[in-house]
Amino acid sequence: MRKAWGIVLPILVVALYALWGQLGPLGKKPEKVAWELAQSPPERLQDVYAKAHPAALRIDGPEGSRGTGFFYREGLVLTAYHVVAEGGPYTLVLANRQRARATLLGFAEPLDLAVLATEAQAPALLPLETQRRPQVGEAVLHIGNGRGQFIAPRYGRITRVSVDPSPFLPQGLVETSLPLSPGDSGGPVLDGQGKVLGVAVAIGQTEAGFRSFFTPLAERSAILADLEQGKRSYWPYLGLRGPRTLTPELARELGLPPGGVLAGEVVPGGAAHRAGLRGLEAGGVPDVILEVNRTPVNSFEDLLREVRRYRVGDLIRLTVRRGGEVFQVEVELAPFPGR
């Protein structure tokens, strides 16, 4: 990703998405919250942690630790979708170190939220704040498994609300000074009353310094109820691996005109594959995507942003260059193959 927007990487499957580089202004100036204020220790939240931490847990997959979750209703665990996206079986490590199996009920990939079901008895339950919106300057607590620590506390403050740091991430996130790290994904962000304001999903370096981000739960009661009933919603994908900006240097290397997005690898069974697009793995001249529904795209971020304006099942029209030929192809968007 260009320096103005940072780079987003899933750090294995256990970690927070990471935004490395600088995040530029997002349409308006950030609220003026001093860094000292954002890092001041909110002692009252230590009591919140003492009461809340038994509800937090670690989520393990076949390969080991993946991230964090928490009980919010008996038998139900809330976490970030990217923690569980690679599939199970899932093992919950509870606060008392007991282990329990869990199954995936529902998820909303565009919000990075997921609900797991388990027969384990919850040591405690965390109430969700689905009415009140988070406020800038508000002191918050996160409980997670980052830095190899088990359901440990992290303290900080909310620095901005309703931010869109990257097309790789959910939109409308809340930015904080919480010092999170890989392993904290899916952990609860709590307010001074011990209510969960949201679920941790990302970390990154911004103009103001290191920041972390969470998906807020305000006004999302209906969405959570749908997840409990097994509803599953995906981001729309073209089904490409390694699409790259066709820079002048890369264009010269491949003998192609510059501009557009090189298809990279076309994943079998994906939307692009079904539409007949060709990638580098096919041999010959690879396809270059020039437009999505007549909107020019000149980087992977451009392509991702335009595709995510739509939903799974929507038809979009791509303008594609294959060698000296430019043509249009209709693509039905789908989840990423294998999901």
Side-chain angles (χ1 to χ4, degrees), residues 227-250:
L227 301 189
E228 293 168 11
Q229 295 301 313
K231 183 175 180 179
R232 300 182 174 195
S233 60
Y234 295 87
W235 277 121
Y237 288 91
L238 287 176
L240 301 175
R241 285 198 183 98
R244 289 184 286 171
T245 302
L246 195 57
T247 62
E249 295 77 15
L250 182 59

PDB file of all heavy atoms in Angstrom, residues 227-250:
ATOM      1  N   LEU A 227     -26.091 -13.202  13.900  1.00  0.00           N
ATOM      2  CA  LEU A 227     -24.933 -14.082  14.002  1.00  0.00           C
ATOM      3  C   LEU A 227     -25.233 -15.267  14.915  1.00  0.00           C
ATOM      4  O   LEU A 227     -24.817 -16.398  14.640  1.00  0.00           O
ATOM      5  CB  LEU A 227     -23.714 -13.321  14.527  1.00  0.00           C
ATOM      6  CG  LEU A 227     -23.240 -12.111  13.725  1.00  0.00           C
ATOM      7  CD1 LEU A 227     -21.901 -11.628  14.261  1.00  0.00           C
ATOM      8  CD2 LEU A 227     -23.134 -12.419  12.249  1.00  0.00           C
ATOM      9  N   GLU A 228     -25.970 -15.009  15.986  1.00  0.00           N
ATOM     10  CA  GLU A 228     -26.346 -16.084  16.905  1.00  0.00           C
ATOM     11  C   GLU A 228     -27.247 -17.109  16.227  1.00  0.00           C
ATOM     12  O   GLU A 228     -27.262 -18.291  16.621  1.00  0.00           O
ATOM     13  CB  GLU A 228     -27.030 -15.499  18.133  1.00  0.00           C
ATOM     14  CG  GLU A 228     -26.111 -14.659  19.001  1.00  0.00           C
ATOM     15  CD  GLU A 228     -26.868 -13.847  20.041  1.00  0.00           C
ATOM     16  OE1 GLU A 228     -28.090 -14.102  20.212  1.00  0.00           O
ATOM     17  OE2 GLU A 228     -26.259 -12.975  20.677  1.00  0.00           O
ATOM     18  N   GLN A 229     -27.982 -16.663  15.226  1.00  0.00           N
ATOM     19  CA  GLN A 229     -28.863 -17.563  14.476  1.00  0.00           C
ATOM     20  C   GLN A 229     -28.155 -18.234  13.301  1.00  0.00           C
ATOM     21  O   GLN A 229     -28.770 -18.968  12.535  1.00  0.00           O
ATOM     22  CB  GLN A 229     -30.082 -16.789  13.967  1.00  0.00           C
ATOM     23  CG  GLN A 229     -30.983 -16.255  15.060  1.00  0.00           C
ATOM     24  CD  GLN A 229     -31.530 -17.366  15.947  1.00  0.00           C
ATOM     25  OE1 GLN A 229     -32.014 -18.382  15.452  1.00  0.00           O
ATOM     26  NE2 GLN A 229     -31.450 -17.172  17.267  1.00  0.00           N
ATOM     27  N   GLY A 230     -26.850 -17.953  13.162  1.00  0.00           N
ATOM     28  CA  GLY A 230     -26.075 -18.625  12.135  1.00  0.00           C
ATOM     29  C   GLY A 230     -25.899 -17.867  10.841  1.00  0.00           C
ATOM     30  O   GLY A 230     -25.375 -18.429   9.862  1.00  0.00           O
ATOM     31  N   LYS A 231     -26.279 -16.587  10.793  1.00  0.00           N
ATOM     32  CA  LYS A 231     -26.092 -15.836   9.564  1.00  0.00           C
ATOM     33  C   LYS A 231     -24.609 -15.606   9.302  1.00  0.00           C
ATOM     34  O   LYS A 231     -23.845 -15.278  10.204  1.00  0.00           O
ATOM     35  CB  LYS A 231     -26.808 -14.491   9.638  1.00  0.00           C
ATOM     36  CG  LYS A 231     -26.708 -13.688   8.346  1.00  0.00           C
ATOM     37  CD  LYS A 231     -27.535 -12.404   8.396  1.00  0.00           C
ATOM     38  CE  LYS A 231     -27.409 -11.643   7.088  1.00  0.00           C
ATOM     39  NZ  LYS A 231     -28.217 -10.406   7.092  1.00  0.00           N
ATOM     40  N   ARG A 232     -24.214 -15.762   8.016  1.00  0.00           N
ATOM     41  CA  ARG A 232     -22.814 -15.596   7.638  1.00  0.00           C
ATOM     42  C   ARG A 232     -22.734 -14.670   6.430  1.00  0.00           C
ATOM     43  O   ARG A 232     -23.344 -14.956   5.398  1.00  0.00           O
ATOM     44  CB  ARG A 232     -22.187 -16.966   7.320  1.00  0.00           C
ATOM     45  CG  ARG A 232     -22.236 -17.906   8.513  1.00  0.00           C
ATOM     46  CD  ARG A 232     -21.586 -19.240   8.234  1.00  0.00           C
ATOM     47  NE  ARG A 232     -21.526 -20.046   9.458  1.00  0.00           N
ATOM     48  CZ  ARG A 232     -20.785 -21.129   9.618  1.00  0.00           C
ATOM     49  NH1 ARG A 232     -20.008 -21.554   8.613  1.00  0.00           N
ATOM     50  NH2 ARG A 232     -20.792 -21.789  10.756  1.00  0.00           N
ATOM     51  N   SER A 233     -22.009 -13.589   6.583  1.00  0.00           N
ATOM     52  CA  SER A 233     -21.858 -12.633   5.484  1.00  0.00           C
ATOM     53  C   SER A 233     -20.383 -12.417   5.196  1.00  0.00           C
ATOM     54  O   SER A 233     -19.562 -12.316   6.108  1.00  0.00           O
ATOM     55  CB  SER A 233     -22.537 -11.301   5.826  1.00  0.00           C
ATOM     56  OG  SER A 233     -21.978 -10.727   6.994  1.00  0.00           O
ATOM     57  N   TYR A 234     -20.057 -12.355   3.887  1.00  0.00           N
ATOM     58  CA  TYR A 234     -18.682 -12.263   3.433  1.00  0.00           C
ATOM     59  C   TYR A 234     -18.426 -10.946   2.723  1.00  0.00           C
ATOM     60  O   TYR A 234     -19.342 -10.352   2.145  1.00  0.00           O
ATOM     61  CB  TYR A 234     -18.378 -13.379   2.423  1.00  0.00           C
ATOM     62  CG  TYR A 234     -18.434 -14.778   2.953  1.00  0.00           C
ATOM     63  CD1 TYR A 234     -19.637 -15.476   2.979  1.00  0.00           C
ATOM     64  CD2 TYR A 234     -17.283 -15.422   3.397  1.00  0.00           C
ATOM     65  CE1 TYR A 234     -19.680 -16.792   3.431  1.00  0.00           C
ATOM     66  CE2 TYR A 234     -17.314 -16.732   3.852  1.00  0.00           C
ATOM     67  CZ  TYR A 234     -18.528 -17.408   3.868  1.00  0.00           C
ATOM     68  OH  TYR A 234     -18.567 -18.702   4.318  1.00  0.00           O
ATOM     69  N   TRP A 235     -17.145 -10.540   2.714  1.00  0.00           N
ATOM     70  CA  TRP A 235     -16.721  -9.529   1.766  1.00  0.00           C
ATOM     71  C   TRP A 235     -16.838 -10.117   0.361  1.00  0.00           C
ATOM     72  O   TRP A 235     -16.615 -11.312   0.166  1.00  0.00           O
ATOM     73  CB  TRP A 235     -15.254  -9.165   1.976  1.00  0.00           C
ATOM     74  CG  TRP A 235     -14.905  -8.169   3.038  1.00  0.00           C
ATOM     75  CD1 TRP A 235     -14.077  -8.385   4.102  1.00  0.00           C
ATOM     76  CD2 TRP A 235     -15.307  -6.809   3.135  1.00  0.00           C
ATOM     77  NE1 TRP A 235     -13.947  -7.246   4.852  1.00  0.00           N
ATOM     78  CE2 TRP A 235     -14.696  -6.256   4.276  1.00  0.00           C
ATOM     79  CE3 TRP A 235     -16.133  -6.007   2.350  1.00  0.00           C
ATOM     80  CZ2 TRP A 235     -14.878  -4.938   4.666  1.00  0.00           C
ATOM     81  CZ3 TRP A 235     -16.322  -4.683   2.743  1.00  0.00           C
ATOM     82  CH2 TRP A 235     -15.707  -4.167   3.883  1.00  0.00           C
ATOM     83  N   PRO A 236     -17.129  -9.299  -0.640  1.00  0.00           N
ATOM     84  CA  PRO A 236     -17.066  -9.789  -2.022  1.00  0.00           C
ATOM     85  C   PRO A 236     -15.619  -9.821  -2.506  1.00  0.00           C
ATOM     86  O   PRO A 236     -14.833  -8.931  -2.193  1.00  0.00           O
ATOM     87  CB  PRO A 236     -17.887  -8.746  -2.794  1.00  0.00           C
ATOM     88  CG  PRO A 236     -17.698  -7.481  -2.006  1.00  0.00           C
ATOM     89  CD  PRO A 236     -17.594  -7.901  -0.563  1.00  0.00           C
ATOM     90  N   TYR A 237     -15.276 -10.861  -3.238  1.00  0.00           N
ATOM     91  CA  TYR A 237     -13.920 -11.021  -3.756  1.00  0.00           C
ATOM     92  C   TYR A 237     -13.954 -11.297  -5.255  1.00  0.00           C
ATOM     93  O   TYR A 237     -14.895 -11.920  -5.760  1.00  0.00           O
ATOM     94  CB  TYR A 237     -13.207 -12.189  -3.081  1.00  0.00           C
ATOM     95  CG  TYR A 237     -12.809 -11.947  -1.650  1.00  0.00           C
ATOM     96  CD1 TYR A 237     -13.665 -12.285  -0.610  1.00  0.00           C
ATOM     97  CD2 TYR A 237     -11.570 -11.396  -1.328  1.00  0.00           C
ATOM     98  CE1 TYR A 237     -13.296 -12.083   0.712  1.00  0.00           C
ATOM     99  CE2 TYR A 237     -11.201 -11.192  -0.011  1.00  0.00           C
ATOM    100  CZ  TYR A 237     -12.060 -11.534   1.008  1.00  0.00           C
ATOM    101  OH  TYR A 237     -11.710 -11.340   2.314  1.00  0.00           O
ATOM    102  N   LEU A 238     -12.901 -10.882  -5.942  1.00  0.00           N
ATOM    103  CA  LEU A 238     -12.686 -11.312  -7.318  1.00  0.00           C
ATOM    104  C   LEU A 238     -12.004 -12.675  -7.356  1.00  0.00           C
ATOM    105  O   LEU A 238     -12.110 -13.396  -8.346  1.00  0.00           O
ATOM    106  CB  LEU A 238     -11.824 -10.295  -8.076  1.00  0.00           C
ATOM    107  CG  LEU A 238     -12.495  -8.983  -8.461  1.00  0.00           C
ATOM    108  CD1 LEU A 238     -11.486  -8.061  -9.124  1.00  0.00           C
ATOM    109  CD2 LEU A 238     -13.664  -9.242  -9.409  1.00  0.00           C
ATOM    110  N   GLY A 239     -11.309 -13.041  -6.293  1.00  0.00           N
ATOM    111  CA  GLY A 239     -10.594 -14.306  -6.278  1.00  0.00           C
ATOM    112  C   GLY A 239      -9.245 -14.205  -6.954  1.00  0.00           C
ATOM    113  O   GLY A 239      -8.910 -15.013  -7.826  1.00  0.00           O
ATOM    114  N   LEU A 240      -8.461 -13.208  -6.540  1.00  0.00           N
ATOM    115  CA  LEU A 240      -7.117 -13.007  -7.081  1.00  0.00           C
ATOM    116  C   LEU A 240      -6.103 -13.054  -5.948  1.00  0.00           C
ATOM    117  O   LEU A 240      -6.356 -12.523  -4.862  1.00  0.00           O
ATOM    118  CB  LEU A 240      -7.004 -11.656  -7.785  1.00  0.00           C
ATOM    119  CG  LEU A 240      -7.949 -11.389  -8.950  1.00  0.00           C
ATOM    120  CD1 LEU A 240      -7.781  -9.958  -9.433  1.00  0.00           C
ATOM    121  CD2 LEU A 240      -7.680 -12.363 -10.094  1.00  0.00           C
ATOM    122  N   ARG A 241      -4.945 -13.668  -6.206  1.00  0.00           N
ATOM    123  CA  ARG A 241      -3.827 -13.605  -5.262  1.00  0.00           C
ATOM    124  C   ARG A 241      -2.702 -12.793  -5.890  1.00  0.00           C
ATOM    125  O   ARG A 241      -2.368 -12.991  -7.048  1.00  0.00           O
ATOM    126  CB  ARG A 241      -3.303 -14.999  -4.923  1.00  0.00           C
ATOM    127  CG  ARG A 241      -4.185 -15.803  -3.990  1.00  0.00           C
ATOM    128  CD  ARG A 241      -3.406 -16.953  -3.374  1.00  0.00           C
ATOM    129  NE  ARG A 241      -4.260 -17.782  -2.524  1.00  0.00           N
ATOM    130  CZ  ARG A 241      -4.816 -18.918  -2.911  1.00  0.00           C
ATOM    131  NH1 ARG A 241      -4.599 -19.369  -4.145  1.00  0.00           N
ATOM    132  NH2 ARG A 241      -5.570 -19.619  -2.097  1.00  0.00           N
ATOM    133  N   GLY A 242      -2.163 -11.890  -5.106  1.00  0.00           N
ATOM    134  CA  GLY A 242      -1.021 -11.117  -5.577  1.00  0.00           C
ATOM    135  C   GLY A 242      -1.301 -10.152  -6.704  1.00  0.00           C
ATOM    136  O   GLY A 242      -0.424  -9.960  -7.559  1.00  0.00           O
ATOM    137  N   PRO A 243      -2.490  -9.512  -6.767  1.00  0.00           N
ATOM    138  CA  PRO A 243      -2.660  -8.467  -7.780  1.00  0.00           C
ATOM    139  C   PRO A 243      -1.712  -7.320  -7.496  1.00  0.00           C
ATOM    140  O   PRO A 243      -1.488  -6.968  -6.332  1.00  0.00           O
ATOM    141  CB  PRO A 243      -4.126  -8.050  -7.615  1.00  0.00           C
ATOM    142  CG  PRO A 243      -4.472  -8.418  -6.215  1.00  0.00           C
ATOM    143  CD  PRO A 243      -3.663  -9.629  -5.892  1.00  0.00           C
ATOM    144  N   ARG A 244      -1.141  -6.747  -8.559  1.00  0.00           N
ATOM    145  CA  ARG A 244      -0.122  -5.719  -8.364  1.00  0.00           C
ATOM    146  C   ARG A 244      -0.365  -4.530  -9.276  1.00  0.00           C
ATOM    147  O   ARG A 244      -0.857  -4.682 -10.405  1.00  0.00           O
ATOM    148  CB  ARG A 244       1.269  -6.298  -8.674  1.00  0.00           C
ATOM    149  CG  ARG A 244       1.761  -7.277  -7.646  1.00  0.00           C
ATOM    150  CD  ARG A 244       3.177  -7.721  -7.971  1.00  0.00           C
ATOM    151  NE  ARG A 244       3.210  -8.653  -9.092  1.00  0.00           N
ATOM    152  CZ  ARG A 244       4.317  -9.064  -9.687  1.00  0.00           C
ATOM    153  NH1 ARG A 244       5.497  -8.603  -9.283  1.00  0.00           N
ATOM    154  NH2 ARG A 244       4.274  -9.921 -10.687  1.00  0.00           N
ATOM    155  N   THR A 245      -0.014  -3.358  -8.768  1.00  0.00           N
ATOM    156  CA  THR A 245      -0.041  -2.168  -9.605  1.00  0.00           C
ATOM    157  C   THR A 245       0.922  -2.353 -10.766  1.00  0.00           C
ATOM    158  O   THR A 245       2.074  -2.756 -10.568  1.00  0.00           O
ATOM    159  CB  THR A 245       0.375  -0.939  -8.783  1.00  0.00           C
ATOM    160  OG1 THR A 245      -0.511  -0.792  -7.672  1.00  0.00           O
ATOM    161  CG2 THR A 245       0.343   0.325  -9.636  1.00  0.00           C
ATOM    162  N   LEU A 246       0.453  -2.065 -11.963  1.00  0.00           N
ATOM    163  CA  LEU A 246       1.317  -2.216 -13.135  1.00  0.00           C
ATOM    164  C   LEU A 246       2.110  -0.932 -13.309  1.00  0.00           C
ATOM    165  O   LEU A 246       1.778  -0.046 -14.097  1.00  0.00           O
ATOM    166  CB  LEU A 246       0.488  -2.538 -14.373  1.00  0.00           C
ATOM    167  CG  LEU A 246       1.290  -3.061 -15.586  1.00  0.00           C
ATOM    168  CD1 LEU A 246       2.086  -4.298 -15.204  1.00  0.00           C
ATOM    169  CD2 LEU A 246       0.358  -3.362 -16.742  1.00  0.00           C
ATOM    170  N   THR A 247       3.185  -0.833 -12.543  1.00  0.00           N
ATOM    171  CA  THR A 247       4.061   0.336 -12.584  1.00  0.00           C
ATOM    172  C   THR A 247       4.837   0.349 -13.897  1.00  0.00           C
ATOM    173  O   THR A 247       4.936  -0.679 -14.584  1.00  0.00           O
ATOM    174  CB  THR A 247       5.051   0.286 -11.423  1.00  0.00           C
ATOM    175  OG1 THR A 247       5.865  -0.895 -11.561  1.00  0.00           O
ATOM    176  CG2 THR A 247       4.331   0.239 -10.075  1.00  0.00           C
ATOM    177  N   PRO A 248       5.408   1.490 -14.265  1.00  0.00           N
ATOM    178  CA  PRO A 248       6.223   1.517 -15.486  1.00  0.00           C
ATOM    179  C   PRO A 248       7.348   0.485 -15.473  1.00  0.00           C
ATOM    180  O   PRO A 248       7.648  -0.135 -16.498  1.00  0.00           O
ATOM    181  CB  PRO A 248       6.770   2.954 -15.497  1.00  0.00           C
ATOM    182  CG  PRO A 248       5.729   3.754 -14.780  1.00  0.00           C
ATOM    183  CD  PRO A 248       5.217   2.841 -13.701  1.00  0.00           C
ATOM    184  N   GLU A 249       7.971   0.277 -14.301  1.00  0.00           N
ATOM    185  CA  GLU A 249       9.060  -0.693 -14.204  1.00  0.00           C
ATOM    186  C   GLU A 249       8.559  -2.114 -14.451  1.00  0.00           C
ATOM    187  O   GLU A 249       9.167  -2.877 -15.222  1.00  0.00           O
ATOM    188  CB  GLU A 249       9.723  -0.607 -12.824  1.00  0.00           C
ATOM    189  CG  GLU A 249      10.431   0.705 -12.523  1.00  0.00           C
ATOM    190  CD  GLU A 249       9.467   1.831 -12.173  1.00  0.00           C
ATOM    191  OE1 GLU A 249       8.281   1.532 -11.891  1.00  0.00           O
ATOM    192  OE2 GLU A 249       9.903   2.993 -12.217  1.00  0.00           O
ATOM    193  N   LEU A 250       7.435  -2.475 -13.789  1.00  0.00           N
ATOM    194  CA  LEU A 250       6.874  -3.812 -13.982  1.00  0.00           C
ATOM    195  C   LEU A 250       6.356  -3.983 -15.405  1.00  0.00           C
ATOM    196  O   LEU A 250       6.499  -5.062 -15.993  1.00  0.00           O
ATOM    197  CB  LEU A 250       5.755  -4.058 -12.967  1.00  0.00           C
ATOM    198  CG  LEU A 250       5.083  -5.436 -13.006  1.00  0.00           C
ATOM    199  CD1 LEU A 250       6.103  -6.546 -12.780  1.00  0.00           C
ATOM    200  CD2 LEU A 250       3.967  -5.514 -11.955  1.00  0.00           C
TER     201      LEU A 250
END
